[in-house]
Amino acid sequence: MWSKMSEKLFDGPAISLKDMLDARSRRVAVQKELLSEEKDTVLICATLNIPGPVKYSASLAEIFQTMVEAVEKTMGETVQTTYISPKEHTGPVCYFLTSLPEKEVKKKMVMIEETHPFGRLADLDVLCLADDQPRPVSRKELGIPARSCFLCTQEAKLCGRARKHTVQEMQQAIHRIIEKGRRELDDKKDSTDGNSLARWAAEPDRYADAH
């Protein structure tokens, strides 16, 4: 059963390392352009954290759209969605601009990453312009621990560099996160309108307590 469901989840084009490096270069260029156009603004760059050669599928795009909506609902009228590309083979991406202070925005994005049922799969980077270059605001600046691995308690970046886990192990972990997240959202559906995402945005502390 898992194999059939995982095949659908990762039913997308496999990309190369060069593809990923090129995509990162394009993102940096877009980030710089957006931050340069609007002075004193902060940029949110939303992507998915999906290890392995498959970064896009229809199922992953649905998860990404859920995270985009979570950002929009959390930020409300303080954010402007400037660009969204949900079908990039190297992974969907969305950019938001806001005039709120960067550390305040970072706290909000960390809250989503840590408490939303799909938050573990999202990278919600917060950037500002420094010396004419996009500068990410780190968790460390806020005294927040780095993100841990999908499969163990070690820092995720360290596991990635050491290739500690196989792609299949990581994909299985992603599958479990999505299934668990779907159950949590279903369990917390609003009795009147059935919009569990809206309920999460209005009451994120309830989700935080459950994690």
Side-chain angles (χ1 to χ4, degrees), residues 145-196:
R147 303 182 86 174
S148 60
C149 171
F150 287 138
L151 291 163
C152 67
T153 58
Q154 193 169 11
E155 186 177 334
K157 287 184 178 180
L158 297 179
C159 280
R161 289 170 188 162
R163 298 184 182 275
K164 186 176 179 181
H165 311 291
T166 67
V167 170
Q168 184 179 17
E169 288 173 333
M170 299 298 287
Q171 289 180 341
Q172 289 173 343
I174 291 167
H175 171 80
R176 289 193 295 268
I177 290 169
I178 290 175
E179 289 304 296
K180 181 174 182 287
R182 284 172 174 161
R183 289 195 300 269
E184 289 182 12
L185 287 174
D186 286 342
D187 289 345
K188 291 180 171 62
K189 279 182 179 177
D190 188 278
S191 59
T192 56
D193 63 11
N195 191 337
S196 56

Side-chain angles (χ1 to χ4, degrees), residues 46-63:
T47 57
L48 288 181
N49 179 15
I50 307 295
V54 177
K55 307 291 185 183
Y56 168 82
S57 69
S59 296
L60 290 174
E62 291 177 6
I63 300 299

Side-chain angles (χ1 to χ4, degrees), residues 41-72:
T41 56
V42 171
L43 182 69
I44 301 168
C45 176
T47 57
L48 288 181
N49 179 15
I50 307 295
V54 177
K55 307 291 185 183
Y56 168 82
S57 69
S59 296
L60 290 174
E62 291 177 6
I63 300 299
F64 181 71
Q65 181 59 35
T66 300
M67 299 315 302
V68 168
E69 292 172 8
V71 173
E72 291 174 337

Side-chain angles (χ1 to χ4, degrees), residues 115 117 184-185 188 196 200 203-211:
T115 67
E184 289 182 12
L185 287 174
K188 291 180 171 62
S196 56
W200 174 88
E203 304 177 80
D205 289 344
R206 291 186 60 183
Y207 282 77
D209 293 341
H211 282 64

Side-chain angles (χ1 to χ4, degrees), residues 44-121:
I44 301 168
C45 176
T47 57
L48 288 181
N49 179 15
I50 307 295
V54 177
K55 307 291 185 183
Y56 168 82
S57 69
S59 296
L60 290 174
E62 291 177 6
I63 300 299
F64 181 71
Q65 181 59 35
T66 300
M67 299 315 302
V68 168
E69 292 172 8
V71 173
E72 291 174 337
K73 290 180 181 296
T74 296
M75 297 296 293
E77 295 181 357
T78 66
V79 75
Q80 175 188 358
T81 305
T82 61
Y83 174 83
I84 182 168
S85 182
K87 295 185 178 181
E88 290 276 354
H89 287 176
T90 51
V93 60
C94 184
Y95 298 101
F96 310 85
L97 283 172
T98 179
S99 58
L100 292 179
E102 62 263 26
K103 289 188 178 181
E104 180 180 345
V105 178
K106 183 64 176 180
K107 288 179 182 178
K108 290 178 181 291
M109 295 305 102
V110 170
M111 184 271 291
I112 296 174
E113 290 176 343
E114 294 296 326
T115 67
H116 190 281
F118 299 140
R120 187 62 190 84
L121 302 179

